[in-house]
Amino acid sequence: MTITYRPLDRSRSEIRLLKILAPEITPEELQDPLKFAPGTIHCQLEYESLDRLYTGSSQQNTALNNILDYMLQDTVRNKAENDPDTAPEAYVSRAKDALAKHIRTNTESQFEMDPRRKETLELLYKSSDEKMKAWLPPESEAVADRELKDWLQTWIWTPLSGSQEHVENRALGYFALSYLWKDHIDPNKIFPDRSHRDLEEKGIASGLTPQQCFEVAGISPSEVNDMFGTTHSQKVEIVVNGTPILVEANLEKALRTVREIPEIQHGTRIWVDALCINQSDVLEKNIEVKRMGDIYKKAERVISFLGDSSDDSGETLEFMSTIGRIFSRGAAQSISHQFLERMNLDAVIGVARLLMRPYWKRIWIAQEICLGGDRAIAVCGARRFSLPELLRCGPILGSRMLQNGKRLNLQLLLNPRSDGDVQYLNMEDVQVAVKKLMALHYARLECENDDREVPQTNALWFRIPSGSRATDPRDLVYGMMNLLPKKFKAQINVEYAPGNKFVDVMADFTKAHIRSTNDLSFILHQLSAPIFGLSEWPTWVPNLTLPYSSAHYGWPLMSEPSACPGTTAEATFSRDAKTGKHLLVCRGYRLDTISQATRPVCEISIEYKAKEVAFLENVITYNQSIDVQQRLLNAREELRILKSRHIPDTEDSQVTELPPSATWHKYDHLLSLKMALMECFQCLGVKFEREGYSIFDIPYNLNIEQQELRLQRIQYVSASFIDDPGLSTLNSVREAFANFNLWGTAFKDLFPPDFKDVDPHSVALPNIPDRTVTLARLLTTCEGHVGTCIGHARPGDEIFLLHGCTMPVILRASPSCDGAYELKGGVYVPGVMNGEAFARFQASDTISKVITIC
C-alpha cells in the first residue's frame, strides 16, 4: 500500500512533517537496557506552514543569539587579548552552545532516564575514558577529560537540552533527517583491485548508476547482484496514518533510532524526504528539491543518521568530537602533527572506517549538513555528537596531509593483516575521508551567506560531487544546488523528466554560471579523466563528478589578471541540429596557430613508472621488507593512476609539424626565450625555495646519476611520507621535451651540460606538482610564441582570445558539428597573458568574430 497525499498548499508554503509515535514497550521492559524498543514504527503525517513555523522559531532564535552575543562580547575580547593561542570560532561556538541549552530548556517537562540504562552506561564510562586518553596526545587530555554527566550527553537517551530532567522546548520547530536512502556493499570489499573504483567513478561521471557502470564494463551478473541485488534493497513495513507501507530498511532503522530521542517522544516532529515528498509526483519533486535548502536551513536541528554502531564507531566519534572541541591552536597543531605519524593506529583506522561509510558518499548530505546550523547532530547507533564539532575535526587532522617536499604514502597499509575488511584500508582511504570532512566544514562556513557574489569558480563545487553517489545521477548536481549563491541557483531549472539526461544537467549548470557571472572562464575546467561517451560530451562543459584534480581545477586560475581585460561573455546557447550537442556561441579573436607540440609528460611518466615497478619487483626478490613491499604497492598504484587519468588524443600522430610563419621567436634573444619558458613552468606550479633559481640552473646530466641514487635509496625510505624533492618529475620533463626544437635550439641545450664541476650541495631542487606537470605540453606557434597547456594540442590547432575568458584557448575544427570548434583547453602564452595581444586587436579596430564551440 502507499500513502495518500493531498497536494501541498503553495500559498501557505506548506510542508509535510512526520510525528513518530512513542513505542508501546517501555525501557523497563527491555531485557538489554542498551537496546532500542522493538515493534513496528507508527507515524502520523501532518501538514504545516513552513513560514509560520520558521517565523516563530526564528524570532526566538534571533532574540536568543542577540542575548548570547551581548553576554559573550567581553569574554571573547578578553580571551583573544589574553590568550592568543585560542581559536575564537571554536571558543565562541562552545560558549554559546552551553548558554543556549539552558535557555531553550522546557522546565515544565519531566524526564528521567531508566535507572538500569543509566547504571549500565556508568559502567562503560571508565573504559571509554581510558580509551580516549590512550588515543589522544597528552596536550589534549584536558579536553578529553569529560565528566560523567557530560559523557552521558553523548548518548541518544539523554535530552538534547543538556538537562538531565527536562527536554527542549517543542515550540522551537521541527527536526530534519539526513540519512542514506539505500545501502549496498562497497565494491572494494568484493574487488580488492582498486581499478574497480576507477570503473565506478568513470561510469558515474558518464551519467550511469553504479549498477549500470559495472554492467557496461562486463562484470558478471552474479557479482553485480552481490553488490546491488534485492538482498541489499530490503523493504521493511512501517505504519503511516494507519496505513502499512514498505520503506527502505535503512530509513526504518533511522526512524527506530531517532524515536529514542526524548524530544521526539515528547512530540517534536521530523521532516523526512522519502515520506514528506510525494516521490511519484514529478512536478512536486521538481519544486520540493529546490525548497530543500530552506527546509534544512529552517529546521531547529538536522539529525545525521550514520547507521548502526560497529568497529568502535562510538569511540571514534568521541575521539573526533574531542578534537573538534579544541580551541587551543597549539593543541590542534600538535594533534595534526601526530595524527599520521604517532597517533594510535586504532584511532586512525577508526576515522577511516567511519568516514568510509556509505552515508558520507551520498550527495544530498552535503546540503543537509551544511545548512543544518550549529545545533545539528550526528547519530550512530546509540551515540550522538555535535556535527559542527565533527566537521571542525577535518581541518585539524588534514592540515598535515600535504607537506612541503613530501607526499603522503597513499598505499601504506594501516594494518597489513587479512582480518576482515581492514586489509582494504590504506592511507588513501584516510586522505579521502579527511578531505571529505574538510570540504563539508568549509562549505558549511561558506553557505552562511546566501547572498554572496557568484565567484568565477569554486573548488567546493568540484570536491563535493566528486566521490559522491546518488540513485539518480542528475542528483549529483541537484543535490548540492542549495549550497550555491542565490543568484546562481536561480538560473538552474530542476527537471526530472526522463528526457533530461545527466549531460543536459551539467550543461545547464555551466550555462547558469556563465549567465550569472557574465564570464566564460568556468569552461576552462576541462575533463580530468575518461568517461563513457566522451565524443558526445560538449567540450565546453566541465564535469563536476570526475575525481577531483587539483591540476585541472587550478589551471584556469594561473592566468592573472586576464588575457582579455575588461570584457564580458557575449554568450548564447543552442543545440546542433545534426548531433544534438549543446553549443556555446561567443565572440573572440584568432591569435595564432600551433606549429608543434610535445607529447604530454604523463606518457613519459608512465614509461618511467613502469621501469620503477620493474626495478622494485627485482629488489623484492632479495629484500622483502615491509618498506620495499609498500614502495612496490605505491609504484604500482601510481602507474595505475597515471594511466586512468590520461585521456589520449588519438589524432596526435596524424599531423606533422607545421612550418612557422616567423623565422624567429617573439622574444628577441635566447635569454628572453628562457625567461618565457620559465614563465610557463611557473604557471605549471614549479617553484624553488631559493630566490632567482630556475630549472635551467640544474645541470642536465644530473638526470642519470640522481636517478640511480633515488632507485637505490627507495628501499630504505619509510612509512607515512615519501621524500619528494621533485627531481624524478623534473627528469621526466627533461626527457619528454629533450629534443623539442625551439627555433634551432633543442630544449635540452638550455641546461648546463655538465654536472662534474658543480658542488652537489649547491644545486637547489624544485617543488613540482606532479599532477599538473605530468599532464603538460610545450608548444610553439607559427607567429613565434611559446606556450604550455595541460590539455590536448597538436599542429594546426588554433589559439583564440574569447571575450570574458581570462586565458587564451586552444580550438580545433569539429569533425561532427559543421562550422563549430572543439575546445581543447586553456593555454598559457607568455607575452599575451596581461592583455597585450587583446590591446593590439582593439587598437587596430579589428572586429571580433562569432565562434561556435560544441
Side-chain angles (χ1 to χ4, degrees):
M1 300 182 69
T2 59
I3 303 173
T4 301
Y5 293 97
R6 72 162 173 79
L8 294 170
D9 186 345
R10 301 294 172 193
S11 67
R12 297 181 61 234
S13 186
E14 204 169 50
I15 62 172
R16 302 181 185 98
L17 292 173
L18 200 67
K19 182 177 181 180
I20 306 175
L21 304 183
E24 295 179 359
I25 189 170
T26 63
E28 293 82 0
E29 299 174 86
L30 294 173
Q31 289 185 352
D32 185 344
L34 298 188
K35 293 293 185 182
F36 297 157
T40 303
I41 304 292
H42 287 257
C43 313
Q44 293 177 354
L45 202 59
E46 302 176 351
Y47 292 73
E48 274 284 3
S49 165
L50 180 60
D51 291 341
R52 187 191 70 79
L53 283 173
Y54 182 64
T55 299
S57 175
S58 178
Q59 289 174 349
Q60 293 185 54
N61 285 328
T62 300
L64 177 57
N65 282 324
N66 290 338
I67 293 171
L68 293 175
D69 288 337
Y70 177 77
M71 292 172 65
L72 291 171
Q73 59 182 342
D74 291 335
T75 305
V76 174
R77 182 171 59 250
N78 293 335
K79 191 74 174 174
E81 292 174 354
N82 300 325
D83 186 5
D85 186 52
T86 295
E89 176 204 343
Y91 179 77
V92 171
S93 176
R94 285 186 62 195
K96 289 180 72 172
D97 184 59
L99 289 170
K101 282 180 177 178
H102 292 288
I103 298 174
R104 288 190 172 101
T105 298
N106 178 7
T107 56
E108 296 181 2
S109 64
Q110 294 296 321
F111 173 81
E112 181 181 2
M113 183 185 290
D114 172 53
R116 287 192 313 138
R117 181 172 282 164
K118 187 173 183 180
E119 181 181 344
T120 306
L121 291 176
E122 288 173 352
L123 294 174
L124 295 175
Y125 168 66
K126 184 177 179 180
S127 62
S128 176
D129 186 55
E130 290 174 352
K131 181 172 284 189
M132 283 305 99
K133 289 178 179 177
W135 282 14
L136 290 160
E139 294 85 346
S140 56
E141 279 191 7
V143 182
D145 190 15
R146 293 189 197 229
E147 295 182 9
L148 173 62
K149 64 180 180 63
D150 296 324
W151 183 79
L152 289 174
Q153 290 296 318
T154 68
W155 291 85
I156 201 168
W157 298 294
T158 54
L160 297 171
S161 64
S163 166
Q164 299 278 336
E165 297 85 20
H166 309 291
V167 298
E168 280 185 338
N169 190 344
R170 180 192 168 194
L172 289 175
Y174 63 96
F175 298 160
L177 183 65
S178 173
Y179 66 103
L180 183 71
W181 267 50
K182 292 183 179 180
D183 204 354
H184 64 78
I185 293 177
D186 183 351
N188 291 308
K189 293 184 179 180
I190 297 179
F191 304 109
D193 181 355
R194 290 183 178 243
S195 62
H196 286 83
R197 178 181 295 180
D198 296 334
L199 172 62
E200 186 181 21
E201 290 171 347
K202 179 179 179 180
I204 289 170
S206 308
L208 305 178
T209 65
Q211 182 173 355
Q212 288 171 335
C213 76
F214 279 92
E215 291 171 346
V216 167
I219 305 298
S220 71
S222 62
E223 290 174 322
V224 172
N225 187 65
D226 282 341
M227 288 184 287
F228 305 100
T230 56
T231 57
H232 305 297
S233 182
Q234 295 177 346
K235 301 282 187 176
V236 181
E237 184 178 275
I238 68 171
V239 177
V240 179
N241 292 349
T243 302
I245 65 167
L246 293 177
V247 298
E248 294 291 341
N250 202 58
L251 173 55
E252 192 272 347
K253 192 182 300 179
L255 296 176
R256 182 175 301 280
T257 302
V258 300
R259 184 174 67 172
E260 300 288 322
I261 297 174
E263 279 75 8
I264 296 286
Q265 294 193 3
H266 279 71
T268 298
R269 294 169 295 180
I270 189 166
W271 189 86
V272 183
D273 55 358
L275 300 174
C276 297
I277 297 176
N278 185 354
Q279 300 293 329
S280 63
D281 186 334
V282 174
L283 179 59
E284 178 177 304
K285 191 175 176 182
N286 290 345
I287 297 171
E288 292 303 289
V289 164
K290 296 196 78 167
R291 292 181 71 204
M292 282 174 68
D294 278 342
I295 291 171
Y296 278 92
K297 188 181 295 183
K298 293 177 178 180
E300 190 60 29
R301 283 187 188 272
V302 169
I303 301 175
S304 293
F305 176 66
L306 307 184
D308 289 332
S309 175
S310 64
D311 302 322
D312 292 331
S313 56
E315 289 82 358
T316 301
L317 285 165
E318 187 171 350
F319 168 78
M320 295 169 63
S321 175
T322 300
I323 293 174
R325 290 163 56 229
I326 291 173
F327 50 82
S328 164
R329 291 189 177 93
Q333 187 178 33
S334 173
I335 288 176
S336 172
H337 278 242
Q338 296 192 49
F339 179 61
L340 296 177
E341 296 176 31
R342 294 186 298 278
M343 192 65 73
N344 185 289
L345 182 61
D346 290 338
V348 178
I349 290 176
V351 170
R353 278 176 159 178
L354 184 80
L355 296 177
M356 286 178 67
R357 288 186 176 220
Y359 171 83
W360 300 102
K361 286 192 172 186
R362 179 176 174 260
I363 183 63
W364 290 102
I365 66 128
Q367 68 173 14
E368 294 162 5
I369 286 175
C370 293
L371 301 176
D374 293 334
R375 306 183 67 235
I377 61 172
V379 173
C380 185
R383 303 295 297 274
R384 64 169 175 83
F385 294 89
S386 163
L387 194 53
E389 287 179 358
L390 298 179
L391 297 184
R392 201 177 294 126
C393 168
I396 294 176
L397 296 183
S399 62
R400 285 269 289 182
M401 283 292 182
L402 295 175
Q403 300 182 339
N404 289 332
K406 291 187 177 181
R407 285 183 292 125
L408 197 63
N409 184 356
L410 296 180
Q411 297 315 303
L412 175 66
L413 296 181
L414 296 179
N415 191 331
R417 295 171 298 145
S418 297
D419 53 348
D421 64 353
V422 177
Q423 61 181 311
Y424 302 113
L425 295 178
N426 59 16
M427 271 300 176
E428 183 182 10
D429 296 320
V430 178
Q431 184 188 60
V432 169
V434 173
K435 284 188 174 181
K436 180 78 171 184
L437 213 59
M438 293 173 68
L440 292 171
H441 170 75
Y442 291 122
R444 178 176 170 272
L445 297 180
E446 183 179 294
C447 291
E448 291 177 356
N449 179 15
D450 195 35
D451 294 317
R452 63 195 184 279
E453 288 298 313
V454 183
Q456 285 190 358
T457 187
N458 188 321
L460 295 173
W461 302 344
F462 291 82
R463 284 197 180 276
I464 290 175
S466 174
S468 293
R469 301 292 180 263
T471 305
D472 187 328
R474 295 171 294 188
D475 286 338
L476 293 170
V477 175
Y478 295 154
M480 70 161 189
M481 193 175 66
N482 288 299
L483 302 180
L484 305 176
K486 185 186 296 183
K487 181 181 177 182
F488 186 7
K489 181 175 70 174
Q491 297 282 344
I492 300 176
N493 179 43
V494 176
E495 180 54 74
Y496 281 101
N500 198 40
K501 299 178 181 178
F502 174 69
V503 64
D504 302 321
V505 174
M506 267 311 320
D508 288 344
F509 185 95
T510 307
K511 294 174 188 177
H513 188 276
I514 293 171
R515 291 189 183 110
S516 58
T517 60
N518 288 319
D519 191 279
L520 284 181
S521 301
F522 190 68
I523 70 174
L524 297 174
H525 294 296
Q526 292 290 284
L527 302 189
S528 60
I531 61 173
F532 295 116
L534 181 63
S535 61
E536 300 171 6
W537 191 272
T539 60
W540 56 277
V541 175
N543 190 325
L544 305 183
T545 64
L546 284 168
Y548 179 79
S549 164
S550 58
H552 290 84
Y553 174 75
W555 177 248
L557 309 180
M558 296 296 183
S559 177
E560 292 184 356
S562 175
C564 297
T567 63
T568 57
E570 301 176 34
T572 58
F573 308 97
S574 61
R575 301 288 286 263
D576 181 63
K578 182 169 65 175
T579 65
K581 288 181 73 171
H582 291 270
L583 302 178
L584 164 66
V585 183
C586 54
R587 300 192 71 89
Y589 299 101
R590 181 190 171 281
L591 176 66
D592 211 336
T593 301
I594 295 175
S595 59
Q596 59 171 340
T598 64
R599 295 170 63 197
V601 177
C602 64
E603 291 184 3
I604 305 299
S605 296
I606 289 172
E607 294 171 5
Y608 174 79
K609 192 59 64 176
K611 292 178 183 178
E612 184 176 334
V613 169
F615 173 85
L616 288 168
E617 287 174 340
N618 179 57
V619 170
I620 206 168
T621 61
Y622 59 83
N623 182 352
Q624 297 182 0
S625 68
I626 293 296
D627 285 342
V628 175
Q629 292 181 46
Q630 295 310 307
R631 288 295 165 184
L632 179 56
L633 284 173
N634 192 59
R636 285 172 172 167
E637 180 67 5
E638 288 181 354
L639 181 60
R640 179 190 67 78
I641 290 173
L642 283 170
K643 290 180 176 180
S644 68
R645 299 293 182 260
H646 176 50
I647 307 176
D649 189 349
T650 55
E651 297 175 284
D652 275 353
S653 60
Q654 299 177 12
V655 180
T656 58
E657 179 180 341
L658 295 182
S661 302
T663 57
W664 190 238
H665 54 77
K666 292 278 188 181
Y667 308 102
D668 296 332
H669 48 77
L670 190 61
L671 179 60
S672 294
L673 175 61
K674 287 176 70 172
M675 292 180 66
L677 289 168
M678 285 167 56
E679 270 191 57
C680 290
F681 281 100
Q682 288 170 354
C683 178
L684 293 169
V686 177
K687 297 179 182 178
F688 288 83
E689 293 183 4
R690 187 181 301 178
E691 189 174 351
Y693 211 84
S694 83
I695 65 168
F696 297 114
D697 294 316
I698 301 177
Y700 192 78
N701 70 348
L702 185 67
N703 188 339
I704 297 174
E705 296 178 26
Q706 281 299 108
Q707 268 194 14
E708 290 302 316
L709 287 173
R710 179 176 183 274
L711 290 173
Q712 293 170 21
R713 185 182 61 195
I714 206 168
Q715 56 191 294
Y716 303 112
V717 179
S718 65
S720 297
F721 291 100
I722 304 170
D723 288 336
D724 184 36
L727 183 59
S728 64
T729 306
L730 174 60
N731 292 336
S732 296
V733 170
R734 296 199 284 194
E735 184 178 352
F737 300 163
N739 297 313
F740 190 55
N741 181 14
L742 296 163
W743 293 274
T745 301
F747 179 77
K748 65 181 179 181
D749 294 335
L750 298 176
F751 296 86
D754 201 354
F755 179 63
K756 62 183 179 181
D757 298 326
V758 178
D759 179 4
H761 299 290
S762 70
V763 177
L765 296 178
N767 291 322
I768 298 181
D770 286 1
R771 183 79 172 104
T772 305
V773 174
T774 56
L775 292 164
R777 301 174 190 250
L778 284 183
L779 56 88
T780 59
T781 71
C782 293
E783 298 299 323
H785 290 103
V786 295
T788 186
C789 67
I790 65 168
H792 293 154
R794 64 181 175 96
D797 288 347
E798 298 177 81
I799 300 176
F800 279 80
L801 300 175
L802 303 182
H803 288 193
C805 192
T806 57
M807 209 174 202
V809 298
I810 297 174
L811 299 181
R812 183 183 301 173
S814 169
S816 58
C817 298
D818 296 338
Y821 290 96
E822 294 178 349
L823 174 65
K824 296 300 174 181
V827 57
Y828 188 93
V829 182
V832 306
M833 303 308 296
N834 293 315
E836 300 93 334
F838 182 75
R840 291 195 293 271
F841 282 122
Q842 289 199 316
S844 63
D845 293 327
T846 304
I847 299 175
S848 62
K849 63 178 291 186
V850 175
I851 301 163
T852 301
I853 303 176
C854 64

